[in-house]
Amino acid sequence: MAKSKKNIGQNVFNDYFTFVMDERENVVLESISPLKQSLKEAPQLEGVPSGIEGVDELFYITKIKDGKVIKQPLGGFPRYAVINVTGVSDTGKTLMAEQFAIKQSSLGNTTIFVTVETTAPFVSASLRERASAMGINPSSIEERIIIIDAASYDQLRDDIQTLLNTLAYSIKKYKAKNVVIDSVTGLYEAKEVMARTIVRRLFNFMKKWYQTAFFVSQKRSGHEEFSVEAAGGYAVPHIVDCNIALAKKSIDSSYDERLYGLPIGEIVRLFRIDGCRICGHDTSTRLMTITETGLVVVGKSLKELKGGGR
Amino acid sequence: MMKVLEPTEIQEYDVDSVAIRVFLKALEIIGGPRKLIEFRNLTWLPSLMSASYAVVLLHESAKTEDEIAQFLGIARNTVRNILRADPELVKQRLSGELETPKKTLKAHTAGGLAKLAYQEIKEGRDYLELFSHYIQTTSEIYGVFWPIEILRRIKGLDFPITVEQLLERAADISIEDKKLSELGERLPKEIKSPSQLLKAIKEALG
């Protein structure tokens, strides 16, 4: 919010000029359209590979063939969806975000990575490491992941409109298809009362620019562990399209030992898609592991585990 | 090394220029600066400026009441009164309030005015005088003079306007070898703002 020494008169002029030239200003009338027209303009429902083993087949569409309902996997997150992943620390949220960005960029889809928690050099190093673990040459994706360092530049973190303007600039300049924000929580730290407003602005922005977006949300200690409630309450999950809840559980009974096949005192990570308004999705709680090379893998459902073996 | 956006590429939001636009529009709503002079109410201006900033900081920058109070150097309660003001109520009361000289403008009145002005700006209706001035400058740079003439002719009309109102005043204006009256059918029946009007004419020209 620091006052710049820019020529205010010039800025007023620029605003007017942009205002005259920018056709997006007059949107109210255009926002009313009959269903038939809206359907014509509606995007095709298709998947974008997540880069996370075990996730792509969990989103599906249903078709009716010969009177029977058939599930057809999307092969990834629904395109143009805003996906929110929530969990306590060390559940693998950032790893998932990185895998998504790397996979998408390896497919030629430029991805903007807004880092709010860790500065760009560390994110860059982490992305390179993750790419190698995924069997992707880091050099091949360097031009397709654009990092916006909101951890280093306060104005991006503190002023939502500056962040949105910068995102719009980056999407146009680099022809981006995806946006990752790690984490949205960092954008309303110490002012959770604004969480809903900020996430709504981000959500609307992603829709306007036809981006598939992946938001990371952090939990506070008081939140129920395996829910999508995060900092800002339930504001975030209510707004976004899809929610994924991650949790950690300690093995503290012989029943757990048998179920998870791990000794007492160990930790298991759990994964659940907690809702997706765009398409059908798996609803089971699943075992999630982080491999030695730091990759998130989503495995069997607890129901399957109970049925026998990991 | 991954590509990192340069600090020079950060598109900083200019809250000052938007707040000034809101302030000027609020002035226009109450009849312009001359009216404030006439009723000896020029002391309202600081409150109006604060209210303009408060409304922009809330709606554009998602600032909290505390942050706005700190930025403007005013009490949090004043910010709250500004932001909770009912613009419609202020609109109704305005004429009476303006005619009674007051040293200070109540926070809720300033807030209501700023909110009204902000809504107008969002719908594309900036302070017309200033808008015309900048359009004139731009038009002279590009050697296109019809926008100036159109804005001059519609001066005093309250937006939204109808095509009939427009043609009543400007049907004879020549735009790229055509009369504005020839373009009438291709213009929207209701025109929300001067900027929409100019854009619609440009589009109608093909």
Side-chain angles (χ1 to χ4, degrees), chain A residues 114-281:
Chain A
V114 182
T115 173
V116 186
E117 312 292 335
T118 312
T119 55
F122 292 96
V123 172
S124 183
S126 185
L127 284 165
R128 286 183 68 88
E129 204 171 309
R130 211 72 50 230
S132 299
M134 289 168 75
I136 293 166
N137 180 359
S139 310
S140 69
I141 55 164
E142 279 179 344
E143 294 295 317
R144 290 217 169 85
I145 295 186
I146 314 299
I147 301 175
I148 296 182
D149 190 352
S152 299
Y153 299 102
D154 293 354
Q155 65 270 48
L156 288 166
R157 209 170 50 240
D158 294 343
D159 192 316
I160 185 68
Q161 199 58 51
T162 296
L163 176 62
L164 295 180
N165 289 352
T166 307
L167 272 170
Y169 162 85
S170 309
I171 289 167
K172 276 191 282 188
K173 180 170 180 184
Y174 299 102
K175 298 182 173 55
K177 305 282 184 206
N178 311 292
V179 173
V180 170
I181 303 181
D182 185 12
S183 67
V184 288
T185 315
L187 300 174
Y188 41 83
E189 217 144 53
K191 54 172 189 178
E192 287 185 21
V193 67
M194 299 308 285
R196 195 176 181 89
T197 305
I198 289 173
V199 174
R200 169 65 67 192
R201 296 274 293 276
L202 287 167
F203 177 83
N204 290 346
F205 176 91
M206 300 304 161
K207 295 293 172 192
K208 176 177 167 183
W209 289 91
Y210 285 83
Q211 297 292 297
T212 306
F214 191 93
F215 294 173
V216 172
S217 285
Q218 294 169 352
K219 278 184 175 292
R220 297 279 177 256
S221 54
H223 295 141
E224 190 194 332
E225 200 166 313
F226 204 15
S227 72
V228 287
E229 185 184 14
Y234 278 104
V236 183
H238 276 304
I239 293 168
V240 298
D241 296 312
C242 304
N243 283 289
I244 295 171
L246 307 181
K248 280 194 297 195
K249 177 181 168 39
S250 65
I251 306 292
D252 51 14
S253 69
S254 43
Y255 174 79
D256 283 348
E257 281 188 304
R258 283 197 304 277
L259 179 65
Y260 296 108
L262 287 169
I264 205 147
E266 285 289 305
I267 294 284
V268 286
R269 292 180 178 84
L270 301 171
F271 168 104
R272 189 181 74 244
I273 300 171
D274 198 90
C276 183
R277 64 164 78 110
I278 293 182
C279 63
H281 62 89

Side-chain angles (χ1 to χ4, degrees), chain A residues 1 8 11 13 15-17 19-20 22 124 142 147 153 158-159 161-162 166 169 173-174 191 201, chain B residues 1-3 5 7 9 11 13-14 17 20 59-63 67 71 124 126 131 134 138 199:
Chain A
M1 212 194 295
I8 290 173
N11 290 335
F13 170 73
D15 274 354
Y16 270 101
F17 193 69
F19 169 65
V20 174
D22 189 350
S124 183
E142 279 179 344
I147 301 175
Y153 299 102
D158 294 343
D159 192 316
Q161 199 58 51
T162 296
T166 307
Y169 162 85
K173 180 170 180 184
Y174 299 102
K191 54 172 189 178
R201 296 274 293 276
Chain B
M1 182 75 181
M2 303 291 165
K3 167 97 186 135
L5 210 69
E9 292 179 283
Q11 308 294 302
Y13 177 68
D14 190 350
S17 60
I20 286 171
H59 292 291
E60 298 287 310
S61 300
K63 297 293 177 191
E67 286 174 312
F71 176 74
D126 274 71
F131 180 77
Y134 286 120
T138 315
K199 273 189 282 189

